[in-house]
Coordinates of all heavy atoms in Angstrom, one line a residue:
I52 N 0.9 -6.5 -5.6 CA 0.4 -5.1 -5.7 C 1.1 -4.4 -4.6 O 0.7 -4.3 -3.4 CB -1.2 -5.1 -5.4 CG1 -1.9 -5.9 -6.5 CG2 -1.7 -3.6 -5.4 CD1 -3.4 -6.0 -6.3
N105 N -1.8 -10.3 9.9 CA -1.5 -11.0 8.7 C -1.8 -10.2 7.4 O -1.5 -10.7 6.3 CB -2.2 -12.3 8.6 CG -2.0 -13.1 9.9 OD1 -1.0 -13.6 10.2 ND2 -3.0 -13.2 10.7
S106 N -2.4 -9.1 7.5 CA -2.8 -8.4 6.3 C -3.1 -6.9 6.6 O -3.1 -6.5 7.8 CB -4.1 -9.0 5.8 OG -5.2 -8.8 6.7
G107 N -3.2 -6.1 5.6 CA -3.6 -4.7 5.8 C -5.0 -4.6 6.4 O -5.2 -3.7 7.3
T108 N -5.9 -5.4 5.9 CA -7.2 -5.3 6.5 C -7.2 -5.5 8.0 O -7.8 -4.8 8.7 CB -8.1 -6.5 5.8 OG1 -8.2 -6.2 4.4 CG2 -9.5 -6.6 6.5
E109 N -6.5 -6.5 8.4 CA -6.4 -6.8 9.9 C -5.7 -5.7 10.6 O -6.0 -5.4 11.8 CB -5.6 -8.1 10.1 CG -6.4 -9.3 9.7 CD -5.6 -10.6 9.9 OE1 -4.9 -10.7 10.9 OE2 -5.6 -11.4 9.0
N111 N -5.9 -2.5 9.8 CA -6.9 -1.4 10.0 C -8.0 -1.8 10.9 O -8.5 -0.9 11.6 CB -7.4 -1.0 8.6 CG -6.4 -0.2 7.8 OD1 -5.6 0.5 8.4 ND2 -6.5 -0.3 6.5
F134 N -9.2 3.4 0.3 CA -9.3 1.9 0.4 C -8.6 1.5 1.7 O -7.5 1.8 1.9 CB -8.7 1.2 -0.8 CG -8.9 -0.3 -0.7 CD1 -10.2 -0.9 -1.1 CD2 -7.9 -1.1 -0.2 CE1 -10.4 -2.2 -0.9 CE2 -8.1 -2.5 -0.1 CZ -9.4 -3.0 -0.5
H135 N -9.4 0.7 2.5 CA -8.8 0.3 3.8 C -8.9 -1.2 4.0 O -8.5 -1.7 5.1 CB -9.3 1.1 5.0 CG -9.0 2.6 4.9 ND1 -7.7 3.0 4.9 CD2 -9.8 3.6 4.7 CE1 -7.7 4.4 4.8 NE2 -9.0 4.8 4.7
G136 N -9.6 -1.9 3.1 CA -9.7 -3.4 3.3 C -11.1 -3.9 3.1 O -12.0 -3.1 2.8
R137 N -11.3 -5.2 3.4 CA -12.5 -5.9 3.0 C -13.3 -6.5 4.1 O -14.3 -7.1 3.9 CB -12.2 -6.9 1.9 CG -11.5 -6.4 0.7 CD -12.5 -6.0 -0.4 NE -11.9 -5.8 -1.7 CZ -12.6 -5.6 -2.8 NH1 -13.9 -5.6 -2.7 NH2 -12.0 -5.4 -3.9
E185 N -5.0 7.7 3.9 CA -3.8 7.4 3.2 C -3.2 8.8 2.7 O -3.9 9.6 2.2 CB -4.0 6.6 1.9 CG -4.8 5.3 2.1 CD -5.7 4.9 0.9 OE1 -5.2 4.3 0.0 OE2 -6.9 5.3 0.9
G189 N -4.1 4.9 -2.8 CA -3.6 4.0 -3.8 C -4.7 3.4 -4.8 O -4.7 3.8 -5.9
E190 N -5.5 2.6 -4.2 CA -6.6 2.0 -5.1 C -7.5 3.0 -5.7 O -8.0 2.9 -6.8 CB -7.4 1.0 -4.2 CG -6.7 -0.1 -3.5 CD -5.9 -1.0 -4.5 OE1 -6.5 -1.4 -5.5 OE2 -4.8 -1.3 -4.2
D218 N -2.9 5.2 7.1 CA -2.8 3.9 6.5 C -1.6 3.9 5.5 O -1.7 4.5 4.4 CB -4.1 3.6 5.8 CG -4.2 2.3 5.0 OD1 -3.1 1.7 4.7 OD2 -5.3 1.8 4.7
E219 N -0.5 3.3 5.9 CA 0.7 3.2 5.1 C 0.9 1.9 4.4 O 2.0 1.4 4.1 CB 1.9 3.5 5.9 CG 2.0 5.0 6.4 CD 2.8 5.9 5.4 OE1 3.3 5.4 4.3 OE2 3.0 7.1 5.8
I220 N -0.3 1.2 4.2 CA -0.2 -0.2 3.8 C 0.4 -0.3 2.3 O 1.2 -1.2 2.0 CB -1.6 -0.9 3.9 CG1 -1.9 -1.1 5.4 CG2 -1.7 -2.2 3.1 CD1 -3.4 -1.3 5.7
Q221 N 0.0 0.7 1.5 CA 0.6 0.7 0.1 C 1.7 1.7 0.0 O 2.7 1.5 -0.7 CB -0.5 1.2 -0.8 CG -0.2 0.9 -2.3 CD -1.4 0.8 -3.2 OE1 -1.3 1.2 -4.4 NE2 -2.5 0.3 -2.8
A246 N 1.4 -3.3 5.9 CA 1.3 -4.7 5.5 C 2.1 -4.8 4.2 O 3.3 -4.7 4.2 CB -0.2 -5.1 5.4
K247 N 1.3 -5.1 3.1 CA 1.9 -5.3 1.7 C 3.4 -5.6 1.7 O 3.7 -6.8 1.7 CB 1.5 -4.1 0.8 CG 0.0 -4.1 0.5 CD -0.3 -3.4 -0.8 CE -1.7 -3.7 -1.3 NZ -2.8 -2.9 -0.7
R366 N -1.6 2.0 -12.9 CA -0.8 2.2 -11.7 C 0.5 1.4 -11.8 O 0.5 0.3 -12.2 CB -1.6 1.7 -10.5 CG -0.9 1.9 -9.2 CD -1.8 1.6 -8.0 NE -2.8 0.6 -8.2 CZ -3.3 -0.2 -7.3 NH1 -2.9 -0.1 -6.0 NH2 -4.2 -1.1 -7.6
Ligands
LIG8 C1 -4.1 -3.2 0.1 C2 -4.5 -2.2 1.0 C3 -5.3 -2.5 2.2 C4 -5.7 -3.9 2.4 O1 -4.7 -4.8 2.6 P1 -4.9 -6.4 2.5 O2 -3.6 -7.0 2.9 O3 -5.4 -6.7 1.1 O4 -5.9 -6.7 3.5 C5 -5.6 -1.5 3.0 N1 -5.2 -0.2 2.8 C6 -4.5 0.1 1.7 C7 -4.1 1.5 1.6 C8 -4.2 -0.8 0.8 O5 -3.5 -0.4 -0.3

Side-chain angles (χ1 to χ4, degrees):
I52 301 179
N105 309 289
S106 68
T108 295
E109 286 177 44
N111 284 332
F134 183 80
H135 299 298
R137 301 271 192 171
E185 304 149 85
E190 304 299 315
D218 179 339
E219 290 268 3
I220 290 161
Q221 193 158 149
K247 289 201 164 86
R366 182 169 35 147

